[in-house]
Amino acid sequence: MTLNFALNGRKLSREIAPDETLLQLLRDCGMHSVRSGCDTSNCGICTVWVDGKPVLSCGYLAARVEGRAVTTLEGVKDEAEALMRCLAAEGADQCGYCSPGFLMCALAMFRELENPGDAEMRAYLAGNLCRCTGYASQMRALAKYAEGRRSK
Amino acid sequence: MISIQEYRFAESLDEALALLDAGKRNRVIGGGMWLRLGHAGVRTAIDLSRLGLDKIEDAEGEVSIGAMASLRDVETAPCLRELFGGVLSESVKPIVGVQFRNMATVGASVYSRYGFSDLLTALLALDAAVVLHRAGEMPLDEFLRNPPEKRDILTAVHIRKDGRRAAYRSFRRSKTDFGVLNVCMSVSTEGDWRLSVGARPGRATRCPEAEALLAAGDGAGAAKAAAENLTYGSSLRGSADYRRHLAEVLTLRCWDALREDGAEARDSEPTDAGRDEA
Amino acid sequence: MSGQNREDLKVVNQARAKTDALSIMGGAPVYTGDLVPDGALVVKLKRSPHAFARIVSIDKSRAELVPGVAGVFTWRDVPHHRHTFAGASYPGNNPFDRVILDEYVRYVGDPVAIVAAESEEAAEKALKLVKVEYEVLEPVLDFETAEQSASAVHPEDDYVYQTDIGGDLAHNVLMSERDEDGDFEAVYASCPVRLDETWYTPATQQAMMETFRTFSYYDHAGRLTLVSSTQITFHARRLVAMALGLPQSKVRVVKPRVGGGFGAKQSMVTEVYAAAVTYLTGKPAYIQFTRQESCACANTRHAFRIRVRLGATEDGIVRALWVDSLENAGAYGEHAANVIGLSGHKTLPLYGKAEAWRYTGKAVYTNTTPGGAYRGFGATQGCFAVESTVNKLAAQLGLDPCELRLRNLPEVGKPMPAYYDEPLTSCSLDRCIETGRRMTGWDEKYRSAPFARQVGPHRYRGLGMAVTMQGSGISNVDNCTARIRLDDGGFYTLSIGASDIGTGCDTILAQMAAEVLECDIDRIVVNGVDTSYSPYDKGSYASSTTYVTGNATVMAAKELLGKMRKVAAERMGVAEGDLEFDGDEFTCGERKLTLTELGVESVNGHADWLTAAASFAGHTSPPPFVAGFAEVEVDTETGEVEVVDLVGVVDCGTVVNRALAQVQAEGGFLQGYGMALTEDVQTLPGGKLATNSFMQYKIPSRLDAPPIRIAFEESWEPTGPFGAKSIGEVVINTPSPAIAAAIRNAVGAEIHALPATAEKVYGALRAQGADSHV
């Protein structure tokens, strides 16, 4: 079937299988930031935005994005950079494999919530698992990033 | 992974139902959360996302939650945070994560009658009804016990606004896991008590014996009744015996939360604050 | 050179962002799955539904007819050379008990056939069409009775022991060993206080976020080349060559960025299957495990039963200690013979006053998912058992468990008999204990009796602690090499064979080189691992990279600096001893030579190309130490345990990178927390792993994560690079015994088998008749 959608602001028309996942489609489109982690919609690694909302691309049928706007980390690199630098300074990336999904959910959170505190951030990001860091460094980085946003 | 031969956006509910009736292997797609876990071969996948079924409407006598509203919509809808002690909003919060709840739909959660469902446990303790496109409206309780034989399309869940206060307690082995046991209790302004127990691990069910005792003001008796009168099973997350015990504990905790003399409630100590909200 | 004094350090001992941080976070195509060549065959494995069976026949004819299928291979089609998946120095203790595909399948999920196809759909379709007839055998599922089983998991006659490790295959015994000093029976009998306790630790999952994956192809020189998510690049080359019967010169392995490992990738997992397909078809091939395969069909922590006998004086001096370990190797023997020893050798030395100690160990085969390496590698299992026993001793004696530890610590400068007689050259564990005590408010809060700290209706708090040690590499076995050169652009290239799997070793090794070369890390390019170009390194495991590869790096950098000085002095026409070097230029009075000029010089025929290489093999493995503390709140109505404070105080010698060490420790502590509370391994009656996904196997989310507070009490390890020891593994060990002790301290419930689920704690409360508090 033919799928028409916008990827990071660019209109695309592609042939897809009806049971193709958004994850497969995006990787085929060269979006290397989109990675699989668990296959059961539990880990958050494959997070992308559909119409601005974070979703799990491993469980999202590609067919469903017909006419919608899909955003991956490649499409919000500039917006992500400050947060990435905060994470790097804390050493909060470690293996880095879960980072793009985490960044996509965190950026969505900062767009959605005015001034989230630690508990609110933990709740919003609970679906992003990380096995390396123990999360504390990520939370420190988020707090510093949020502080930087406030002082702007 | 489920395989799909054809993907169709239904343009109307009638069309969707006709497509569903056109073949046994045709399926309505909800949030698609378990697509990768299944192995079924689907002929036609029917997508309802263009039918405007994603609204949550707070009307005069009832709230209507569209079948394609996401669990995240339920969590964040201002009216659902207010009504019924906010239990609907609370019940879905622990489910995996924001991304998951952005996808999972109310319709799929209810229509699939999942045993583990937090939302069903909460809805069942309220005066909720399901709206089916073919069979019409029916009480949720009845839908869970005797679903229509013919496959149908759930379009909305209606909840009567009868001034209910409600409390929801779920016991989880880890914060974003399925519940080991879920309990929801409510009372209307007329003093109509309801108690539902879910993740037993079987699907949520009410406990009339316990409800009668609640109405009589016997919370402890109701908690025992919930443990004794319902069936509990064993699964990876807990044994039948432990679930039975939890049913008593959580029922009592709901009771304490709903008692008017809240000052004496057992769970009101400062050390507990925030735990159930997490 | 600077750096014999921590105060002088400019780059080491500081926080530095990882050199690859922005690329790995930003989604650059740098992991195995991003680099797969177009047209690579998709490789999938047909797996056994039985825990133990002999393959009678396989009909692959219909599968081969599926359009797009390039090959279906069974045990009759692939090379048959016994080998091991274990990445460990050679020759070693790991028996050769595997072939690529075997006539026998030994656990649910053991591969039966390899399918290679042009698309995933074709491969999946073909998998279903491979028809297998099995002779189902009685499986060995319970490791405690494996020895008495009528079935032998490894009946094959070409099984190879590299060395005699005390095995008895007819009774499923993979290995057995014993080590001791002193007359245990006599000393134990003479002790006024004696404990005899048995503990269980489960087969937890490493659960790194990137599942196992490998692709393979023939390179320009006709070498079978593997790009793999691995910790053991060089071992993998040797083992793949062995499995296929190829000379090592015909195999090449490349490690790109790796999405975590925690020991899981210290064994080969996917490598041989991709390699076999390329070897048999000549085509590039890619295999990527699903999460379910990663959980059930790779490797896990070995499950242990550990019996601890401890004799002590009434004031808590441990005089006799015996660790008796039974280990479930699972279906194959990866690392089993090495893991088990650490359950004794990295627990016993902490009780340095013991007059007699003994360690006995036995590993048995069963028809369950193979065990393997997981951070902590036996020390974790032993730590839970020994520290839990010691905590029980403290409770029995009414002694403060911190105080009891302080009375028993080994002394710096003295040999540690239970630690291969190596001398203890650095240890600040006493300071770690004192600091943790302060951080937790221990002295104010700790009550020796349970139910002493009620904080709400049916809620009680308790405190617990534990101490642990690990090693820094494997003495007299590990060899790590670093090579460094000055490039003509005035920068350095550091080549290593150690595998950065997210740990940040590329960064911390660059920090060490930079410290020597008086520059910062942006002037050092670190090359990851390609067996064609990298110097030999046994790989990243055994807490070795900082210490072993670090020492090699420092040696190489010093040698390079020496050569640079010599060439600079010649070029400048001055005496070497008169030269000053500030990292940018050599000066002597008015004369100057910049680094860039020197770099140009080194390639212009005036001098030798400026390069240096050094190998390091440690003769000791200096232990890092941790004192870990937990405060819990237990709900006696449900048994739920909430950890309200988790504190770790670490002696890793000099902290090389303050940011990365902190995160290593926090991450290790949370993994330890998961092992203690949420990660509950469950198996179905037929032997299938039930907890084979992140839906069923719950690693902690950030909502579960307790507050984790880490502090460092640095010692100075005289044999380490800039005084450093390891940190990667030691940080996982203490949470489980500390949390278990805190639960007992809170409500008296004693947990002998991890994890301490709410149901188990509630059951223990009921059993002890604590109903009055329930």
Side-chain angles (χ1 to χ4, degrees):
Chain A
M1 62 187 287
T2 307
L3 176 75
N4 296 289
F5 73 114
L7 174 58
N8 296 328
R10 207 157 50 97
K11 284 195 175 163
L12 290 181
S13 183
R14 279 181 80 97
E15 279 305 309
I16 60 158
D19 48 13
E20 192 169 320
T21 63
L22 184 55
L23 172 77
Q24 287 169 285
L25 170 68
L26 293 173
R27 281 199 70 90
D28 286 351
C29 290
M31 300 298 113
H32 292 288
S33 75
V34 189
R35 302 165 185 157
S36 72
C38 75
D39 313 311
T40 54
S41 304
N42 285 91
C43 74
I45 286 176
C46 63
T47 302
V48 300
W49 299 346
V50 173
D51 288 344
K53 283 186 182 172
V55 298
L56 301 165
S57 62
C58 82
Y60 204 101
L61 285 170
R64 187 163 261 183
V65 302
E66 172 70 32
R68 296 176 188 257
V70 177
T71 310
T72 69
L73 183 61
E74 285 84 352
V76 285
K77 266 284 180 62
D78 293 345
E79 188 177 337
E81 187 172 334
L83 180 51
M84 279 166 57
R85 290 195 182 280
C86 289
L87 288 161
E90 293 291 334
D93 43 317
Q94 281 233 36
C95 87
Y97 194 78
C98 72
S99 300
F102 168 77
L103 284 160
M104 289 309 283
C105 202
L107 293 177
M109 172 180 76
F110 283 116
R111 285 183 174 199
E112 190 178 326
L113 306 179
E114 190 71 8
N115 195 1
D118 185 74
E120 215 175 343
M121 290 197 284
R122 279 182 193 270
Y124 199 102
L125 298 167
N128 289 89
L129 298 179
C130 167
R131 188 59 158 172
C132 292
T133 63
Y135 305 111
S137 54
Q138 291 183 350
M139 301 316 295
R140 287 193 293 273
L142 288 168
K144 281 185 187 157
Y145 172 75
E147 181 60 39
R149 282 171 91 234
R150 276 194 294 273
S151 60
K152 257 181 201 166
Chain B
M1 175 80 194
I2 286 174
S3 69
I4 298 170
Q5 282 175 42
E6 182 194 29
Y7 197 90
R8 291 278 292 273
F9 287 95
E11 300 298 330
S12 70
L13 278 167
D14 288 341
E15 187 199 355
L17 195 58
L19 280 169
L20 186 64
D21 288 343
K24 271 189 184 154
R25 287 167 54 222
N26 296 356
R27 288 266 207 95
V28 174
I29 299 291
M33 305 319 302
W34 314 117
L35 282 175
R36 293 184 67 89
L37 301 181
H39 300 286
V42 172
R43 171 78 192 81
T44 302
I46 307 159
D47 187 317
L48 308 178
S49 60
R50 292 184 179 171
L51 303 180
L53 296 176
D54 57 349
K55 312 259 182 315
I56 297 176
E57 285 162 331
D58 184 13
E60 187 72 6
E62 66 178 20
V63 190
S64 171
I65 306 173
M68 292 301 282
S70 70
L71 299 186
R72 178 75 176 157
D73 293 334
V74 171
E75 177 188 353
T76 54
C79 64
L80 296 183
R81 285 183 167 175
E82 288 291 315
L83 290 165
F84 321 116
V87 286
L88 291 177
S89 180
E90 287 303 314
S91 74
V92 298
K93 268 189 186 171
I95 300 173
V96 187
V98 163
Q99 306 95 312
F100 188 99
R101 300 197 294 279
N102 270 334
M103 298 163 69
T105 61
V106 169
S109 298
V110 174
Y111 191 83
S112 309
R113 306 189 303 148
Y114 293 122
F116 53 75
S117 174
D118 294 276
L119 182 65
L120 267 184
T121 309
L123 282 172
L124 187 58
L126 307 177
D127 196 358
V130 296
V131 182
L132 300 165
H133 190 57
R134 190 197 323 267
E137 186 164 332
M138 68 166 73
L140 175 63
D141 197 1
E142 189 189 328
F143 174 75
L144 291 182
R145 281 184 286 115
N146 303 305
E149 270 174 32
K150 216 158 175 185
R151 290 199 298 166
D152 211 326
I153 292 175
L154 192 150
T155 59
V157 175
H158 291 172
I159 312 161
R160 201 158 64 87
K161 283 161 65 175
D162 54 0
R164 265 175 204 280
R165 295 183 299 124
Y168 183 79
R169 292 290 183 275
S170 167
F171 188 81
R172 290 172 137 80
R173 291 160 59 107
S174 61
K175 296 280 197 260
T176 59
D177 193 9
F178 296 112
V180 181
L181 195 89
N182 305 328
V183 174
C184 190
M185 186 186 289
S186 78
V187 58
S188 70
T189 45
E190 283 88 49
D192 174 38
W193 288 86
R194 295 194 182 195
L195 176 74
S196 73
V197 184
R200 299 172 294 107
R203 79 174 63 96
T205 185
R206 284 171 62 181
C207 181
E209 296 86 350
E211 290 174 353
L213 288 162
L214 289 171
D218 182 2
K224 280 208 163 48
E228 283 163 12
N229 289 287
L230 299 179
T231 55
Y232 298 90
S234 298
S235 71
L236 290 183
R237 287 175 174 75
S239 68
D241 282 348
Y242 185 58
R243 284 195 160 96
R244 192 172 298 114
H245 168 71
L246 285 178
E248 184 174 345
V249 173
L250 299 188
T251 301
L252 209 48
R253 288 183 180 184
C254 286
W255 167 254
D256 285 340
L258 286 181
R259 276 199 311 188
E260 286 178 347
D261 50 346
E264 290 170 30
R266 294 157 15 112
D267 276 352
S268 63
E269 292 296 317
T271 49
D272 270 12
R275 284 178 42 75
D276 293 316
E277 281 71 41
Chain C
M1 181 203 121
S2 65
Q4 286 317 309
N5 206 330
R6 207 149 34 225
E7 288 69 41
D8 297 337
L9 297 172
K10 297 190 189 83
V11 189
V12 168
N13 207 223
Q14 313 299 318
R16 286 287 184 280
K18 269 158 44 77
T19 51
D20 56 359
L22 296 181
S23 71
I24 60 175
M25 278 196 280
V30 292
Y31 298 88
T32 302
D34 303 326
L35 305 169
V36 181
D38 284 343
L41 295 172
V42 177
V43 179
K44 298 259 173 199
L45 302 177
K46 174 86 176 177
R47 296 185 176 281
S48 167
H50 305 293
F52 195 25
R54 192 181 67 82
I55 295 167
V56 176
S57 66
I58 303 181
D59 178 1
K60 57 177 186 172
S61 56
R62 286 179 64 212
E64 284 173 327
L65 293 177
V66 173
V69 166
V72 179
F73 308 105
T74 72
W75 68 277
R76 292 185 187 281
D77 306 317
V78 296
H80 185 100
H81 304 282
R82 287 276 161 202
H83 61 278
T84 173
F85 274 7
S89 290
Y90 169 82
N93 288 339
N94 292 289
F96 300 148
D97 58 2
R98 285 188 185 258
V99 283
I100 298 170
L101 293 171
D102 209 343
E103 186 182 357
Y104 288 88
V105 285
R106 298 184 175 84
Y107 68 96
V108 176
D110 210 0
V112 174
I114 305 170
V115 170
E118 286 161 13
S119 70
E120 187 152 352
E121 295 71 35
E124 293 283 359
K125 197 167 176 188
L127 274 188
K128 289 186 191 137
L129 295 173
V130 176
K131 295 298 171 199
V132 188
E133 188 190 333
Y134 297 97
E135 178 195 348
V136 178
L137 305 170
E138 184 61 33
V140 183
L141 297 177
D142 175 11
F143 79 105
E144 293 190 82
T145 57
E147 261 184 281
Q148 290 86 52
S149 173
S151 293
V153 177
H154 280 275
E156 66 272 19
D157 54 17
D158 58 349
Y159 183 105
V160 179
Y161 274 118
Q162 294 191 62
T163 50
D164 179 7
I165 52 175
D168 174 7
L169 292 178
H171 296 97
N172 294 312
V173 177
L174 188 158
M175 58 71 70
S176 58
E177 64 185 7
R178 178 189 181 100
D179 196 3
E180 65 189 316
D181 195 20
D183 185 343
F184 179 84
E185 269 77 19
V187 180
Y188 184 66
S190 73
C191 287
V193 187
R194 290 193 292 272
L195 279 82
D196 183 349
E197 301 287 328
T198 299
W199 311 90
Y200 293 83
T201 58
T204 48
Q205 300 270 341
Q206 301 91 341
M208 66 284 146
M209 287 296 149
E210 182 200 35
T211 61
F212 301 94
R213 53 198 64 186
T214 304
F215 68 83
S216 56
Y217 62 97
Y218 280 108
D219 76 358
H220 63 280
R223 280 172 304 187
L224 181 57
T225 302
L226 279 71
V227 177
S228 193
S229 180
T230 182
Q231 299 175 224
I232 44 156
T233 322
F234 279 89
H235 291 322
R237 177 178 71 176
R238 170 171 50 85
L239 296 171
V240 165
M242 189 176 180
L244 291 171
L246 293 171
Q248 271 200 62
S249 60
K250 292 293 180 195
V251 180
R252 171 184 168 201
V253 182
V254 180
K255 177 213 74 87
R257 294 292 98 184
V258 172
F262 314 114
K265 296 170 184 173
Q266 194 197 333
S267 298
M268 293 202 300
V269 173
T270 44
E271 285 81 357
V272 294
Y273 308 111
V277 168
T278 298
Y279 175 73
L280 292 166
T281 65
K283 294 177 182 166
Y286 177 49
I287 183 166
Q288 174 179 320
F289 270 15
T290 62
R291 178 55 61 184
Q292 280 86 344
E293 287 177 301
S294 277
C295 288
C297 313
N299 61 76
T300 69
R301 188 182 290 289
H302 291 98
F304 271 63
R305 179 192 73 195
I306 302 179
R307 183 175 171 193
V308 180
R309 270 155 281 192
L310 181 157
T313 65
E314 266 154 5
D315 53 2
I317 304 294
V318 177
R319 293 180 55 215
L321 194 54
W322 178 5
V323 173
D324 178 31
S325 299
L326 179 69
E327 176 191 36
N328 182 8
Y332 297 97
E334 276 84 45
H335 301 295
N338 292 326
V339 162
I340 191 167
L342 274 60
S343 67
H345 292 300
K346 294 198 174 158
T347 53
L348 293 161
L350 289 164
Y351 297 90
K353 308 245 177 342
E355 295 148 53
W357 59 268
R358 179 182 290 162
Y359 151 68
T360 44
K362 186 182 282 180
V364 293
Y365 281 116
T366 62
N367 295 112
T368 59
T369 299
Y374 179 8
R375 195 179 204 171
F377 202 83
T380 313
Q381 292 94 319
C383 180
F384 174 67
V386 171
E387 292 303 294
S388 292
T389 308
V390 171
N391 283 325
K392 187 163 185 172
L393 170 71
Q396 258 180 34
L397 294 175
L399 278 175
D400 184 311
C402 299
E403 188 53 42
L404 192 149
R405 270 23 177 251
L406 289 169
R407 289 180 192 178
N408 284 284
L409 290 184
E411 281 176 53
V412 174
K414 296 213 168 138
M416 294 179 284
Y419 193 58
Y420 324 105
D421 253 331
E422 289 184 15
L424 180 59
T425 41
S426 63
C427 177
S428 61
L429 188 52
D430 51 345
R431 281 190 279 138
C432 294
I433 294 170
E434 295 295 1
T435 299
R437 219 165 158 171
R438 269 198 308 281
M439 287 170 71
T440 49
W442 183 279
D443 291 348
E444 299 82 67
K445 289 181 187 168
Y446 184 77
R447 304 284 178 276
S448 55
F451 297 108
R453 294 177 61 214
Q454 182 160 15
V455 291
H458 49 81
R459 293 185 77 84
Y460 299 85
R461 285 201 177 187
L463 278 164
M465 61 90 64
V467 295
T468 191
M469 61 182 274
Q470 201 80 33
S472 300
I474 307 171
S475 20
N476 304 311
V477 172
D478 288 347
N479 182 319
C480 301
T481 305
R483 198 171 58 219
I484 187 162
R485 66 179 198 239
L486 174 66
D487 281 89
D488 58 317
F491 67 100
Y492 304 98
T493 301
L494 172 64
S495 294
I496 55 167
S499 303
D500 192 330
I501 55 169
T503 45
C505 76
D506 288 4
T507 307
I508 63 122
L509 294 172
Q511 283 178 270
M512 291 184 196
E515 188 71 49
V516 175
L517 296 164
E518 309 271 356
C519 62
D520 212 330
I521 57 173
D522 54 5
R523 197 171 276 176
I524 297 175
V525 175
V526 182
N527 278 337
V529 198
D530 179 332
T531 56
S532 281
Y533 308 116
S534 306
Y536 180 83
D537 192 298
K538 48 78 189 168
S540 283
Y541 58 85
S543 287
S544 62
T545 308
T546 298
Y547 180 77
V548 186
T549 313
N551 267 324
T553 301
V554 171
M555 287 160 64
K558 282 182 180 171
E559 189 186 327
L560 178 68
L561 183 60
K563 287 184 177 176
M564 284 162 51
R565 292 182 67 89
K566 187 160 180 280
V567 173
E570 281 168 14
R571 174 78 174 129
M572 292 162 73
V574 300
E576 230 184 289
D578 297 336
L579 276 179
E580 299 276 330
F581 179 56
D582 66 359
D584 287 317
E585 52 188 19
F586 289 92
T587 50
C588 178
E590 294 297 301
R591 300 184 190 201
K592 284 182 181 167
L593 182 71
T594 67
L595 197 63
T596 310
E597 288 166 343
L598 182 64
V600 172
E601 193 69 12
S602 84
V603 295
N604 272 359
H606 298 292
D608 288 337
W609 188 45
L610 285 165
T611 184
S615 290
F616 182 80
H619 298 300
T620 60
S621 174
F625 298 92
V626 168
F629 298 78
E631 183 171 13
V632 304
E633 194 168 308
V634 181
D635 180 329
T636 52
E637 271 194 327
T638 60
E640 185 181 26
V641 175
E642 186 188 6
V643 176
V644 296
D645 195 14
L646 198 56
V647 167
V649 190
V650 182
D651 164 19
C652 57
T654 296
V655 175
V656 178
N657 183 315
R658 296 214 158 264
L660 302 187
Q662 171 97 11
V663 179
Q664 278 283 338
E666 289 166 348
F669 264 71
L670 191 63
Q671 287 184 4
Y673 165 95
M675 177 181 178
L677 292 175
T678 67
E679 299 177 28
D680 192 9
V681 179
Q682 297 190 52
T683 307
L684 300 174
K688 185 181 178 192
L689 184 73
T691 40
N692 65 354
S693 67
F694 285 168
M695 188 188 294
Q696 309 296 22
Y697 185 80
K698 302 310 285 187
I699 65 170
S701 74
R702 79 188 67 227
L703 283 176
D704 300 296
I708 297 174
R709 298 187 293 147
I710 300 297
F712 292 93
E713 281 295 342
E714 294 175 280
S715 61
W716 183 275
E717 170 51 45
T719 67
F722 305 103
K725 299 186 281 190
S726 81
I727 187 165
E729 294 185 273
V730 71
V731 288
I732 199 174
N733 298 337
T734 56
S736 59
I739 289 169
I743 294 169
R744 169 229 282 282
N745 181 242
V747 297
E750 198 168 288
I751 299 300
H752 279 256
L754 294 173
T757 61
E759 182 168 359
K760 236 183 251 177
V761 172
Y762 176 72
L765 282 167
R766 291 296 294 258
Q768 77 189 26
D771 278 5
S772 58
H773 296 280
V774 176

